[in-house]
Amino acid sequence: MKIAVFCGSGRGVNPIFADKARQLGQLLVQQGHELVYGGGKTGLMGVIADSVLEAGGKVYGVMPLTLTDKEIQHSGVTELFIVTDMHERKAKMAELADAFIAMPGGIGTLEEIFEIWTWGQLGYHYKACGFLNINGYYDQLLGFIDTVVNQEFMRPEYAQMMQVSADAEELLELLINYQAPAQKWK
């Protein structure tokens, strides 16, 4: 499988985030998966890409032209796709990937995984999505999702589309065994 990983272009304050990015990269290769990501060499993005490459795996980066200088594109990836803008970036990543993981990151990471999750809810794809909830990073967000469901702005089955684990191996297993719910408007 090709797994898209959305994560920070920074490393965050806690070194565990980079450690877990490195471990996820190694695990992807061990299990025969390939990485699709944002194409940068900085932050967690760079850590996971380097980890996959060092383990002998394949890495596909997707970066908008306007960010090639700002994010400092990774020159060692298997293939780097330069696209027009962020909309095209997400579309290309969605096209390439069979499943999606959000690791710790900022608002861009959230925007990316939420759009992919929404596309799944709308039936644009039937691919698995997951949060790698390192050190409880997404706990408050997941609590908010419970509020969204409890206030009936989202059906429980669509909230359950998002697989969640603090353990990368368990999360990959959940993604591999994922079964999409019935289409929303069927």
Side-chain angles (χ1 to χ4, degrees), residues 96-139:
L96 292 170
D98 301 304
F100 307 88
I101 294 174
M103 292 189 63
I107 203 74
T109 299
L110 292 174
E111 188 270 336
E112 290 168 324
I113 195 67
F114 270 82
E115 185 160 346
I116 291 295
W117 189 1
T118 300
W119 292 355
Q121 179 180 308
L122 296 174
Y124 295 168
H125 70 76
Y126 301 97
K127 301 173 184 181
C129 300
F131 283 116
L132 185 54
N133 192 21
I134 299 166
N135 208 35
Y137 186 79
Y138 285 113
D139 287 352

Side-chain angles (χ1 to χ4, degrees), residues 5-139:
V5 176
F6 303 121
C7 58
S9 60
R11 287 179 173 246
V13 69
N14 192 332
I16 194 171
F17 299 139
D19 292 343
K20 294 297 183 179
R22 198 172 296 104
Q23 290 172 11
L24 177 59
Q26 292 167 352
L27 187 60
L28 290 174
V29 176
Q30 288 169 5
Q31 291 190 4
H33 304 298
E34 299 174 349
L35 174 66
V36 175
Y37 85 119
K41 71 175 187 178
T42 61
L44 296 184
M45 288 175 36
V47 171
I48 192 166
D50 288 342
S51 178
V52 169
L53 292 167
E54 289 166 8
K58 292 185 178 179
V59 176
Y60 303 93
V62 183
M63 183 174 280
L65 181 60
T66 57
L67 294 181
T68 55
D69 292 332
K70 294 175 184 147
E71 283 191 6
I72 311 173
Q73 67 191 17
H74 197 301
S75 60
V77 297
T78 307
E79 189 169 359
L80 182 64
F81 298 90
I82 303 297
V83 296
T84 308
D85 55 32
M86 293 298 284
H87 297 292
E88 193 176 334
R89 178 192 223 178
K90 289 180 290 185
K92 185 65 174 177
M93 291 177 78
E95 173 192 324
L96 292 170
D98 301 304
F100 307 88
I101 294 174
M103 292 189 63
I107 203 74
T109 299
L110 292 174
E111 188 270 336
E112 290 168 324
I113 195 67
F114 270 82
E115 185 160 346
I116 291 295
W117 189 1
T118 300
W119 292 355
Q121 179 180 308
L122 296 174
Y124 295 168
H125 70 76
Y126 301 97
K127 301 173 184 181
C129 300
F131 283 116
L132 185 54
N133 192 21
I134 299 166
N135 208 35
Y137 186 79
Y138 285 113
D139 287 352

Side-chain angles (χ1 to χ4, degrees), residues 138-166:
Y138 285 113
D139 287 352
Q140 291 181 335
L141 178 63
L142 295 168
F144 174 70
I145 298 302
D146 289 341
T147 299
V148 173
V149 171
N150 292 336
Q151 296 299 312
E152 297 183 4
F153 286 103
M154 178 187 267
R155 294 184 198 159
E157 61 268 27
Y158 298 120
Q160 294 164 5
M161 291 173 72
M162 183 60 71
Q163 308 300 297
V164 180
S165 180

